[in-house]
Amino acid sequence: ANLKMAVEIQPIILAAGRGRKLYPFTEDGPKALLPVANKPLIYFPLQYLQNEGFTECTILISEVFKDAFKSCMADLHSSFGITIATQLLSIEDEDFGSVESLQSIKHHFKGDSILLLSCDLVCNVPLNELADVHRIQYSPLEL
């Protein structure tokens, strides 16, 4: 875990999508809350952030699913040593993408660097190495 990186970079988890490709499993709720190994899918990127030393993150959720998330948030808060903020996204357009979603909450960004994660991210790539490459190359974007 790299404490300096965790302070410099604001993690944002995209969890506003309906998960249309997973229909009918997402008929009654968002993809981010689908159970995987008896945990909601969003558990895994939160665990990843905790393992990498982050102490806070923002989850971008659809206003349509705010009640579903509300019932899950207490469990997520108690599972991790991370302060979790949520930002509601009103989606009128079904094709509202990641860029548009970020544009709508950019006034909440705390600095110049954000780490954008999908709610279905399951990995163990060391983020400190990625952040070092990003800094060395003065890159505005890493994928």
Side-chain angles (χ1 to χ4, degrees):
N2 184 333
L3 183 59
K4 183 178 184 216
M5 180 189 60
V7 171
E8 291 176 354
I9 300 173
Q10 178 184 2
I12 298 173
I13 300 174
L14 295 178
R18 294 181 178 277
R20 285 180 279 162
K21 293 176 188 169
L22 292 171
Y23 186 84
F25 302 109
T26 56
E27 182 176 17
D28 297 324
K31 174 173 73 170
L33 298 182
L34 284 177
V36 175
N38 294 322
K39 296 176 179 11
L41 192 54
I42 198 161
Y43 175 93
F44 299 99
L46 287 168
Q47 182 180 45
Y48 179 56
L49 290 172
Q50 180 185 38
N51 291 344
E52 291 294 320
F54 287 91
T55 58
E56 60 182 50
C57 81
T58 300
I59 301 174
L60 184 59
I61 62 174
S62 167
E63 199 168 302
V64 174
F65 296 122
K66 69 181 178 186
D67 292 336
F69 271 96
K70 210 179 275 188
S71 64
C72 178
M73 289 309 290
D75 291 337
L76 291 175
H77 280 290
S78 65
S79 296
F80 301 99
I82 296 178
T83 301
I84 302 170
T86 56
Q87 291 296 321
L88 289 180
L89 179 64
S90 295
I91 301 177
E92 290 92 26
D93 182 2
E94 281 292 315
D95 293 323
F96 206 70
S98 300
V99 172
E100 294 88 357
S101 299
L102 288 174
Q103 190 75 16
S104 73
I105 65 158
K106 70 180 180 181
H107 57 282
H108 292 284
F109 294 174
K110 296 178 182 174
D112 294 335
S113 297
I114 64 168
L115 173 65
L116 189 61
L117 304 169
S118 173
C119 69
D120 57 1
L121 174 78
V122 179
C123 75
N124 62 357
V125 174
L127 279 177
N128 59 332
E129 292 176 18
L130 177 63
D132 288 345
V133 169
H134 176 77
R135 283 188 209 103
I136 290 167
Q137 297 179 354
Y138 302 107
S139 175
L141 177 67
E142 295 293 334
L143 298 177

